[in-house]
Amino acid sequence: MKYNGLSDSEVIESRKKHGENILTPVKKKTWWKEYIGMFTEPLIVILLIAGVLSIAISVYDFYNLGHDWKVFFEPTGIFIAIFLATTLAYIFESRANKAFNILNHVNDDETVDLYRNGTVTTIPRKDIVVGDVVIINTGDEIPADGNIIDSIDLNIDESTLTGEPLCRKSADPKDVDDSETTYPSNRLLRGTKVMEGHGIMIVDKIGDSTEMGKVYEQSQIDNSVKTPLNEQLAKLGGLITKCSYIIAGLIIIAQLTNYLVFNEWQGWIPFLSQFLRTVMIAVTLIVVAVPEGLPMAVTLSLAYSMSRMLKTNNLVRKMHACETMGAATVICTDKTGTLTRNMMQVYKTDFFGKDEQYKYFLEDMAINSTAQLDTSGETPVVIGNPTEGSLLLWLKSNGIDYNKLRNTKTRTAELPFNTERKFMATEIQTDENERILYIKGAPEIVYDICVDKNESKTEEVNRLLAEYQNKAMRTLGFAYEVIKEGKTHIKNNRLSLSNLQFLGIVAISDPVRTDVADAVKEVSDAGINVKIVTGDTPGTAKEIARQIGLWDNSIDNSDNIITGPEFAELSDGQLRERVADLKIIARARPLDKKRLVEALQANGEVVAVTGDGTNDAPALKTAHVGLSMGDGTSVAKEASDITIIDNSFSSIGRAVMWGRSLYKNIQRFLLFQLTVNVAACLLVLVGSFIGTESPLTVTQMLWVNLIMDTFGAMALASLPPSRSVMNEKPRDRRSSILTRAMLWELIGVGFIFFVITLGFYWLFIHSDIDSLLQLSNVEIEARHTITTYDATLLFSIFVWLHFWYMFNSRCFETGESIFKVRMSKGFWTIVMIIVLGQLFITEIAYEFFNVSPMIHTTDWKFNPTGTIDLLIIISVSSIVLWIREAYHILSR
């Protein structure tokens, strides 16, 4: 039947009246409520309370120390530092959430086939309007609510709305008993899925007015999956937190003991002031030590990877898939569209009938089909099954209009294709009241049920099939039967035959993608095994495998290939023993792929699976990472974790590279953060036993936390992927994220940084460098504080040492020179922020951070001595980088 659909003007009018086919998201908290929520973290609350109390003490000092406003600088600096750290954390978290929001619009951009302006076309589902005539096929997700106007064996999964797994639907309500169903049998609802059959529907409700819209809750990113990375970081974070609390307790004891031993008792107010400062230092150290940047580093890495992976044709649908893909050890791939171009084209037709039967051969191609051609553009585009579409393209190239053949016939019954029967059948009635049955499907199956077989024809058919299949071509067999008056051959989804005549064979080629061989080699060299699972014949599968480098015909590979029936005969134990050697499963049935995945997982493999059909959904759901194809069914996409938009195996290789690089980035941030933690904790702890003042003040430690944790997470989480990770073997998912090399480096470097800064702290405590020789031993022993300028030098030494070490962390385990490793724009942006921020603190906001300016004096005159000191610190601390470069050269 011919459908015209809406015209362009009718579409515009309908959209004005009814709106767009989009579900309105649930209203979120306002930004300021989310921002205020950032200040409710327990440690931040403690710091805020301590800050308020320190203001009270500053008020007391103000009235007892000559109304000096400088006493308010430190508490003000604390509040500024807390504000900066919290605000930046909010900004970065918001940025990550925005990067994730793309996932909430995935369904809106998926395409649907429909009639518009008298022709078939494809549009995003969000552009559907009320009145559209939509084509639905097996595997599709219904894009809006509407009524069926034509259907063939239509079965719908309505479990998303009613819990009913399968409901029979029909254009004629009389065909189905509605007495026990939730919705009428001629009604289709948004979000439900076509499990069998096909049909046409006319849309009457879209967007929020649909049944799904009425109960819609905003889609959220699936971050409930606890990956090994999440578990590793949670355990590590818990251990660090416990250690930081112990160190904080020791600092309080040491500081108060020093105060009581080296100072005369001056009353409770000064003691409470010292106690409060000590508690603030201890709490701040916990803030610094606890790697709250870890979750943000993971989030930012995932957000960065997800947004950038989209540019490489990998649409990540579930957050954990980014990381898990990097640990994959096996990829089970289908053939069509992934290894091949999925650009089906008729290679050759072999007609076996009589001349007067040739018209039936052409009609079988045109009528016994669910495909359409979109001819609105310069080049016709196949809508529907690519194999069936190639037949329509062949007809068009031979000057035959398939629509004319269809429009002069009336379909009276259909038997849809399924993987069990491996053919489809259609009954039609012509204008001359002739009734014909057409069959199309697997040639060996179709030929076997025909009555006109003979030995010579059988030999010729088998020869042609072997020839085409050895060239990795898909073959279709065609047959017809003229139906006698008063009879029907399709009834109750069953087929009866009496005089089926074989018409011929069509060979359809689908060339291997030019980039697949290199892509397969890349993942194979990366230690990942590739297995082909296809419904094609063993000959076709082996030829494709040979072309992409997985198969060598010159050696005995009999143990590396199995067919679906042979696969089914293996027990679970036998399969687990043999599964590692298998490279090809040919003539695979729907559940074979799922069983293969389960067997591999039972052997400890991390399995990624590709699929595009509804029958692939169980395997996609079972795999560690399910990879659906961009032109796959909605059922397959919903079951998957990543959608490969361009269907290319090369994109799968890039997903592996991104996954491995993401894990490396998190390791680098962890190395950098924990090195800072080791140095800071040891410095403040040991310093507390040496002097009455902490080596680093609260505001200084908050700044260190800001640049080394928040900014460090940003810098190292947004690094671009490196192809060098593809030269490594897959990591063991059960191993610790802290490798032996990382432990040695963070302990060694952290301890060295601690010794360097502690050495300067001890020197500053016991002397002014200019008057060292003028002090007696008693005076030296009595001195337990440092000058403001000394504190500035110590603070600068600590920050610049770790600043340069950030570059080393970037290059960790790359095997490359720092000058050859590619940095992202984000990394260099963070570098500039840290440099300018450090100069701002020491030269402008110095009074808030208990330091003094170095480049100028307090009356804003140039200070050559301080400038030289700063340049010496920056240049000498860069030895961290040069030592790494020297080691790199020597190790090569």
Side-chain angles (χ1 to χ4, degrees), residues 130-260:
V130 171
D132 267 327
V133 179
V134 179
I135 301 168
I136 52 175
N137 288 299
T138 301
D140 287 350
E141 181 180 297
I142 305 300
D145 290 4
N147 293 320
I148 306 170
I149 56 177
D150 188 16
S151 65
I152 300 294
D153 292 327
L154 200 57
N155 287 286
I156 305 294
D157 177 2
E158 290 187 346
S159 58
T160 54
L161 286 174
T162 67
E164 294 296 326
L166 204 63
C167 300
R168 181 159 174 75
K169 299 286 184 176
S170 173
D172 185 357
K174 297 178 183 178
D175 290 347
V176 183
D177 182 9
D178 282 349
S179 60
E180 297 183 1
T181 59
T182 307
Y183 297 100
S185 59
N186 67 336
R187 188 85 178 142
L188 295 179
L189 303 171
R190 175 177 177 140
T192 59
K193 300 174 185 65
V194 183
M195 305 309 293
E196 289 182 329
H198 56 89
I200 308 290
M201 68 176 284
I202 185 166
V203 175
D204 60 12
K205 289 187 188 261
I206 59 173
D208 293 335
S209 63
T210 61
E211 288 298 313
M212 175 174 279
K214 295 174 184 177
V215 295
Y216 174 65
E217 292 181 1
Q218 183 186 19
S219 297
Q220 296 295 328
I221 297 158
D222 181 12
N223 55 8
S224 60
V225 179
K226 292 296 182 183
T227 67
L229 176 62
N230 299 135
E231 295 169 356
Q232 289 169 347
L233 294 180
K235 290 179 182 178
L236 183 62
L239 176 63
I240 294 171
T241 301
K242 291 176 183 177
C243 293
S244 66
Y245 277 104
I246 294 172
I247 293 173
L250 292 174
I251 287 171
I252 293 175
I253 295 171
Q255 284 277 292
L256 294 180
T257 301
N258 261 330
Y259 177 82
L260 294 174

Side-chain angles (χ1 to χ4, degrees), residues 407-452:
N407 294 338
T408 56
K409 316 291 187 301
T410 302
R411 297 189 191 195
T412 56
E414 288 185 44
L415 194 64
F417 178 89
N418 67 30
T419 52
E420 297 300 326
R421 70 172 71 95
K422 294 189 181 298
F423 64 80
M424 65 185 296
T426 301
E427 279 187 11
I428 62 106
Q429 183 171 326
T430 68
D431 293 342
E432 294 79 24
N433 288 324
E434 184 183 27
R435 295 174 61 240
I436 304 169
L437 170 70
Y438 288 117
I439 288 181
K440 176 185 79 215
E444 59 271 27
I445 304 279
V446 173
Y447 181 74
D448 189 55
I449 59 177
C450 290
V451 297
D452 57 337

Side-chain angles (χ1 to χ4, degrees), residues 77-78 80-82 84-85 88 284 287-288 676 697-711 795-796 798-800 830-842 849:
I78 291 171
I80 291 174
I82 293 172
L84 279 174
L88 285 169
T284 304
V287 172
V288 174
V676 175
T697 67
V698 171
T699 48
Q700 289 170 2
M701 283 194 288
L702 286 174
W703 169 244
V704 168
N705 183 63
L706 183 67
I707 60 173
M708 304 305 176
D709 196 336
T710 307
F711 284 133
F795 177 51
S796 298
F798 187 87
V799 169
W800 287 107
I830 297 301
V831 167
M832 290 302 300
I833 290 174
I834 293 174
V835 171
L836 295 176
Q838 181 65 15
L839 293 177
F840 173 81
I841 284 174
T842 57
F849 287 84

Side-chain angles (χ1 to χ4, degrees), residues 729-796:
K729 299 301 178 184
R731 62 182 171 85
D732 185 352
R733 298 180 81 212
R734 294 164 293 185
S735 62
S736 171
I737 192 171
L738 290 178
T739 64
R740 181 175 297 182
M742 289 175 66
L743 284 170
W744 276 110
E745 177 143 343
L746 75 88
I747 292 173
V749 174
F751 185 76
I752 290 171
F753 286 180
F754 154 68
V755 169
I756 292 172
T757 48
L758 182 68
F760 280 105
Y761 178 60
W762 185 90
L763 187 63
F764 295 151
I765 275 184
H766 290 84
S767 69
D768 288 323
I769 295 178
D770 293 338
S771 57
L772 176 62
L773 300 178
Q774 301 174 19
L775 295 178
S776 66
N777 289 335
V778 175
E779 291 173 316
I780 291 175
E781 291 300 325
R783 189 159 181 263
H784 284 266
T785 59
I786 60 177
T787 67
T788 304
Y789 188 72
D790 291 340
T792 307
L793 294 175
L794 185 70
F795 177 51
S796 298

Side-chain angles (χ1 to χ4, degrees), residues 12 47 72 166 437 616 671 702 822:
I12 293 171
L47 279 179
F72 290 103
L166 204 63
L437 170 70
D616 292 318
L671 174 65
L702 286 174
R822 186 163 61 99

Side-chain angles (χ1 to χ4, degrees), residues 284-542:
T284 304
L285 186 72
I286 294 173
V287 172
V288 174
V290 175
E292 69 270 15
L294 270 181
M296 185 172 65
V298 174
T299 299
L300 289 170
S301 293
L302 289 169
Y304 177 80
S305 297
M306 290 167 74
S307 62
R308 294 304 176 92
M309 284 173 73
L310 183 59
K311 296 180 180 180
T312 63
N313 296 307
N314 288 275
L315 177 57
V316 180
R317 302 170 62 90
K318 297 178 183 175
M319 185 173 68
H320 69 90
C322 284
E323 177 254 326
T324 310
M325 194 64 202
T329 59
V330 177
I331 297 175
C332 300
T333 178
D334 56 357
K335 177 184 74 70
T336 305
T338 307
L339 303 179
T340 60
R341 295 179 185 175
N342 200 21
M343 294 175 60
M344 300 292 186
Q345 55 190 21
V346 173
Y347 172 76
K348 188 181 178 186
T349 60
D350 296 289
F351 178 62
F352 283 86
K354 300 174 183 177
D355 291 344
E356 61 268 22
Q357 294 176 317
Y358 191 66
K359 67 172 185 176
Y360 298 123
F361 192 36
L362 300 179
E363 288 181 357
D364 202 344
M365 295 184 196
I367 301 170
N368 188 22
S369 172
T370 59
Q372 304 270 1
L373 291 183
D374 181 357
T375 57
S376 59
E378 294 183 3
T379 304
V381 177
V382 172
I383 296 176
N385 186 285
T387 303
E388 294 186 351
S390 68
L391 300 175
L392 302 185
L393 290 172
W394 181 83
L395 289 172
K396 183 174 177 60
S397 66
N398 284 275
I400 302 169
D401 187 346
Y402 76 95
N403 274 317
K404 286 185 178 180
L405 294 178
R406 288 182 181 181
N407 294 338
T408 56
K409 316 291 187 301
T410 302
R411 297 189 191 195
T412 56
E414 288 185 44
L415 194 64
F417 178 89
N418 67 30
T419 52
E420 297 300 326
R421 70 172 71 95
K422 294 189 181 298
F423 64 80
M424 65 185 296
T426 301
E427 279 187 11
I428 62 106
Q429 183 171 326
T430 68
D431 293 342
E432 294 79 24
N433 288 324
E434 184 183 27
R435 295 174 61 240
I436 304 169
L437 170 70
Y438 288 117
I439 288 181
K440 176 185 79 215
E444 59 271 27
I445 304 279
V446 173
Y447 181 74
D448 189 55
I449 59 177
C450 290
V451 297
D452 57 337
K453 299 188 290 288
N454 59 60
E455 186 175 346
S456 62
K457 183 185 289 188
T458 302
E459 288 180 0
E460 180 64 8
V461 168
N462 290 336
R463 184 189 68 78
L464 287 171
L465 290 178
E467 177 186 338
Y468 295 143
Q469 289 166 1
N470 286 335
K471 293 179 180 178
M473 292 183 184
R474 178 166 294 185
T475 52
L476 290 175
F478 296 80
Y480 86 106
E481 180 175 339
V482 177
I483 303 172
K484 294 181 180 179
E485 187 175 350
K487 291 197 174 186
T488 182
H489 288 332
I490 299 177
K491 190 174 183 179
N492 297 326
N493 212 31
R494 292 191 177 184
L495 180 69
S496 61
L497 302 168
S498 59
N499 190 35
L500 191 66
Q501 304 291 309
F502 190 68
L503 289 170
I505 297 171
V506 171
I508 300 171
S509 64
D510 183 13
V512 170
R513 291 174 179 265
T514 55
D515 58 340
V516 167
D518 291 337
V520 169
K521 184 178 186 302
E522 180 185 37
V523 297
S524 297
D525 291 345
I528 303 173
N529 293 317
V530 179
K531 301 180 186 296
I532 298 176
V533 185
T534 178
D536 283 319
T537 64
T540 299
K542 284 191 288 186

